[in-house]
Amino acid sequence: MGWEMKKINLQTTFIFGLISVLSYIPIMRTHRVFGQGDLLFHLNRMLGLAEGLRHGQLNYRSFDVLSNIGSATNYFYPFVFTLVFAGLFVVLANHLVLAFYVGELILLFCTLMVAYWSMKSFAGNHKRAFIFAIFWGFSGYRFYLALDQFVLGEAIAFVFLPLVFLGFYEVFFRNHKRWCLLGFGMTLLLYAHMLSVVLTTAIFVVIALSAMLTKRISGYKERIGALIRAISLFIILGAVVWVPLLYQFSMTKIQTTTKQSVLFMASLGDNLVNALNGSYQNIGIFGVVAVVWALVLLFQKRYELNVLFGLIGVIIFILGTNIFPWYAIPFRLQALIQFPYRLFSYATLFLFVFLSKELADRYKQLQHYRLAMVTLMVFSVINFWGHSELLVANRQNNPVLNLKQDRAADSNHQESTFVADTAGLKTILGSRHDYIGMTDYAPINSWQPLNTASLLKQEVLFNHQAVDAKISYQSNQSMYQVTVNQAGWLDLPVLAYGNETVLLDGHQVAIKQSQRGSVAVYLESGQHMIQVSAPAPRWIYGLWIFVFIAWIIVLLRLWSRDKITKVPISAR
């Protein structure tokens, strides 16, 4: 890499870092988070993982967060990147709001950098890569995920979609020797959000099959071999996610999430208006520009690869509306997808792949290009500020997150909308705060409404009757002190997955799963102390070390062979 190219890369990195910081300054100055959607759920996970890091362990199950019922969510919902937020919570323990926004800022910066590198590698064109990165990082749907509804798993997956697109294109249509990019991209996607892996695979399978039917793919033998190698890499590097998941699945029957048909569909017209207004889940104003531009070129019979990318984006966008008969597909698929607007990530991807080339081709003179880029960046940052300030104005009077001692009093209140400073965030530890999906990934019996209510109230049952108990929580265990006047089964408000360690008066005892899906232990009459914990098996730590070493080995080999850093010729 020549000095001029290094200079461009350094300048680009500095610019992306600068606009990332500038974008978050206004909301950071409020010293509060303005919760909506999934934020409370993710804050529980971040705080639980942070507590584990302080004690030198990975809390696959936390007892002082997630309603204090010993949820095993982290076995089923990847947390690799959530550890970054958790680490910030440890470093900035007295400034949790700042830590959260620094994590969000880093997320935006990474979104810009991955988008830039992926497009530059795809097209070999700095101008197009820069335009694409700005469009992608400041897209309407990314703002909805990251700062409006805080769908952070999907927001993190959004970072790596351009890399997955690049890897897919190389394996099926260009240089199949770069198969590692597909393996890396899908692995990073898995680390963030498993459903995104499913949706991405489905979309690319459809595209690949369409290309095969139209005879757009050559060299099948080599490409199939490359695909197999990419899948193998994905299996190895993704082991820290899928192996613990299968382990926990094998222990007991669970229900992942609420089983329901698709929700929050809007018409094509409403989605276009939402995009222009920047409201709800949307593809943004530049997404609408790309839709119109692609259709105009199609009607002009400009049949070329870039217009095809735009057309794919238009089709996926339409599929995310109620034009597609979503209710006609099998219920299981509806329950899996949940929200058709999830497709807007992929619509945004293809639309901006198309739009970035069309714009880059029109700015031949460097002076005009630089003026356009400065204008685009200023508009993007100011637009981000505007949406952030509107968010603050609309939510500043929402209920304040605070300590709740009476668990029964708020049994029917979900705190999906709230305002919190650092002190408020700290109350999440050891206090009841109901969030969306409190029994997600819980044993099936726990989903019964009466059982759910009883568990969330932290009711301790002895022979099916509520009894008084002194309860305390730590990050890795919960403790119960009870007195009973006869022998019988004590049903504790801790979910039973089959891998709990229960100490009765200091001695480990066997347990069973109660009728409400919780831990039940047999007691003799008298006063007892019961401790329930569920430390991650030692082999899981070995698995993390194995995968870390695998990453190092693969990256070193690629660096030595110069297979990943070489920029190919422009895509045609």
Side-chain angles (χ1 to χ4, degrees):
M1 183 185 295
W3 164 245
E4 189 63 30
M5 185 60 67
K6 290 182 179 179
K7 181 179 177 182
I8 291 174
N9 288 341
L10 287 173
Q11 289 175 342
T12 301
T13 302
F14 173 78
I15 290 171
F16 287 165
L18 178 63
I19 61 177
S20 296
V21 172
L22 290 175
S23 296
Y24 275 92
I25 284 178
I27 199 166
M28 290 174 72
R29 292 178 64 184
T30 67
H31 304 291
R32 293 180 295 172
V33 293
F34 301 86
Q36 187 94 348
D38 291 346
L39 180 58
L40 189 54
F41 165 69
H42 288 294
L43 286 171
N44 270 269
R45 298 181 73 215
M46 293 170 190
L47 287 163
L49 289 168
E51 287 294 297
L53 292 179
R54 288 190 181 94
H55 295 89
Q57 59 193 20
L58 289 176
N59 278 356
Y60 274 83
R61 292 182 65 179
S62 297
F63 293 83
D64 58 348
V65 293
L66 296 167
S67 299
N68 312 120
I69 56 177
S71 173
T73 293
N74 288 335
Y75 276 104
F76 306 103
Y77 197 123
F79 64 89
V80 177
F81 294 114
T82 309
L83 285 172
V84 176
F85 283 90
L88 290 169
F89 279 21
V90 172
V91 174
L92 299 170
N94 294 320
H95 306 279
L96 295 182
V97 172
L98 175 63
F100 176 75
Y101 284 130
V102 169
E104 284 263 5
L105 187 157
I106 292 172
L107 185 60
L108 174 58
F109 174 74
C110 291
T111 303
L112 294 167
M113 289 301 299
V114 172
Y116 174 79
W117 185 90
S118 299
M119 180 52 70
K120 190 174 181 181
S121 187
F122 173 74
N125 185 312
H126 164 73
K127 293 180 180 179
R128 183 179 179 185
F130 194 92
I131 293 170
F132 175 78
I134 298 297
F135 280 158
W136 185 248
F138 289 92
S139 63
Y141 191 62
R142 200 206 84 88
F143 184 90
Y144 171 82
L145 294 175
L147 203 60
D148 188 329
Q149 295 299 305
F150 300 98
V151 191
L152 295 183
E154 197 173 340
I156 297 171
F158 193 89
V159 175
F160 303 107
L161 286 181
L163 178 60
V164 177
F165 163 76
L166 172 64
F168 168 78
Y169 189 80
E170 295 287 7
V171 168
F172 284 90
F173 302 102
R174 195 161 61 182
N175 183 4
H176 61 81
K177 293 182 180 180
R178 305 184 86 209
W179 54 266
C180 57
L181 295 175
L182 181 58
F184 287 157
M186 293 299 286
T187 299
L188 295 170
L189 214 60
L190 178 66
Y191 288 173
H193 193 237
M194 282 189 286
L195 181 55
S196 292
V197 174
V198 176
L199 292 176
T200 303
T201 301
I203 289 172
F204 286 150
V205 164
V206 171
I207 294 174
L209 290 176
S210 300
M212 291 171 62
L213 292 174
T214 55
K215 299 182 179 180
R216 300 293 180 181
I217 299 178
S218 60
Y220 281 95
K221 182 178 179 181
E222 293 81 2
R223 297 194 185 281
I224 291 174
L227 179 61
I228 292 173
R229 287 190 286 274
I231 293 173
S232 300
L233 183 63
F234 168 75
I235 291 172
I236 293 171
L237 299 181
V240 291
V241 174
W242 65 263
V243 172
L245 180 145
L246 292 179
Y247 156 75
Q248 189 62 82
F249 258 127
S250 69
M251 304 296 288
T252 191
K253 292 183 179 181
I254 69 159
Q255 182 171 321
T256 53
T257 55
T258 301
K259 303 301 180 184
Q260 58 189 10
S261 57
V262 290
L263 298 172
F264 303 122
M265 280 193 299
S267 66
L268 177 60
D270 286 341
N271 276 303
L272 289 172
V273 171
N274 289 340
L276 294 173
N277 292 335
S279 56
Y280 304 107
Q281 52 278 353
N282 67 88
I283 60 172
I285 188 171
F286 290 113
V288 176
V289 171
V291 168
V292 175
W293 199 332
L295 291 176
V296 169
L297 294 182
L298 181 65
F299 286 122
Q300 291 177 349
K301 299 183 179 180
R302 212 180 95 179
Y303 304 131
E304 56 188 56
L305 177 61
N306 195 54
V307 178
L308 177 60
F309 288 142
L311 181 60
I312 292 173
V314 171
I315 292 172
I316 296 175
F317 171 59
I318 293 173
L319 289 176
T321 72
N322 63 8
I323 290 179
F324 183 78
W326 284 101
Y327 291 116
I329 68 175
F331 178 78
R332 285 190 177 183
L333 282 179
Q334 292 187 50
L336 175 66
I337 296 170
Q338 297 177 312
F339 313 116
Y341 62 72
R342 292 187 194 273
L343 295 179
F344 289 172
S345 286
Y346 306 92
T348 300
L349 173 65
F350 284 99
L351 288 171
F352 287 164
V353 169
F354 158 77
L355 186 60
S356 60
K357 185 178 190 303
E358 296 301 319
L359 289 177
D361 288 347
R362 278 158 178 76
Y363 291 105
K364 301 296 184 181
Q365 295 185 14
L366 184 60
Q367 183 178 358
H368 293 166
Y369 164 76
R370 286 177 174 173
L371 178 60
M373 289 306 97
V374 170
T375 304
L376 178 61
M377 287 188 291
V378 170
F379 173 83
S380 298
V381 172
I382 291 178
N383 186 54
F384 193 95
W385 287 348
H387 282 83
S388 300
E389 292 295 340
L390 182 62
L391 181 149
V392 172
N394 289 338
R395 300 179 186 177
Q396 60 183 344
N397 294 321
N398 286 344
V400 175
L401 203 66
N402 51 39
L403 185 65
K404 289 181 172 58
Q405 299 288 0
D406 186 356
R407 291 183 171 270
D410 299 309
S411 58
N412 296 315
H413 175 60
Q414 284 192 349
E415 297 174 281
S416 57
T417 301
F418 63 91
V419 176
D421 56 12
T422 291
L425 295 183
K426 289 182 177 181
T427 68
I428 293 174
L429 294 167
S431 175
R432 177 175 180 178
H433 291 287
D434 293 356
Y435 55 90
I436 297 174
M438 291 173 291
T439 52
D440 284 357
Y441 313 105
I444 292 177
N445 288 344
S446 303
W447 280 76
Q448 297 295 328
L450 292 178
N451 292 339
T452 299
S454 176
L455 288 167
L456 295 178
K457 291 178 183 179
Q458 289 288 283
E459 286 186 340
V460 177
L461 307 178
F462 183 70
N463 292 336
H464 308 293
Q465 299 295 320
V467 295
D468 292 331
K470 183 179 179 181
I471 307 175
S472 58
Y473 312 99
Q474 295 179 5
S475 67
N476 60 348
Q477 67 175 345
S478 54
M479 293 158 285
Y480 308 85
Q481 186 173 339
V482 297
T483 301
V484 294
N485 54 17
Q486 61 179 319
W489 285 95
L490 187 72
D491 184 353
L492 301 170
V494 178
L495 298 175
Y497 292 93
N499 56 359
E500 297 79 17
T501 298
V502 178
L503 300 181
L504 173 60
D505 300 326
H507 302 284
Q508 186 169 344
V509 294
I511 66 166
K512 71 175 184 178
Q513 187 181 99
S514 72
Q515 293 180 356
R516 60 176 182 169
S518 51
V519 171
V521 58
Y522 188 80
L523 299 183
E524 299 291 346
S525 61
Q527 183 176 347
H528 300 281
M529 170 64 75
I530 303 97
Q531 298 167 269
V532 183
S533 62
R538 290 185 179 180
W539 60 264
I540 286 185
Y541 291 94
L543 185 64
W544 279 78
I545 295 172
F546 164 77
V547 169
F548 177 77
I549 293 173
W551 270 104
I552 297 297
I553 292 173
V554 172
L555 290 174
L556 285 176
R557 291 190 65 182
L558 288 171
W559 178 77
S560 64
R561 296 179 183 182
D562 197 30
K563 284 186 177 180
I564 194 171
T565 56
K566 186 178 180 181
V567 177
I569 59 174
S570 297
R572 292 185 294 272

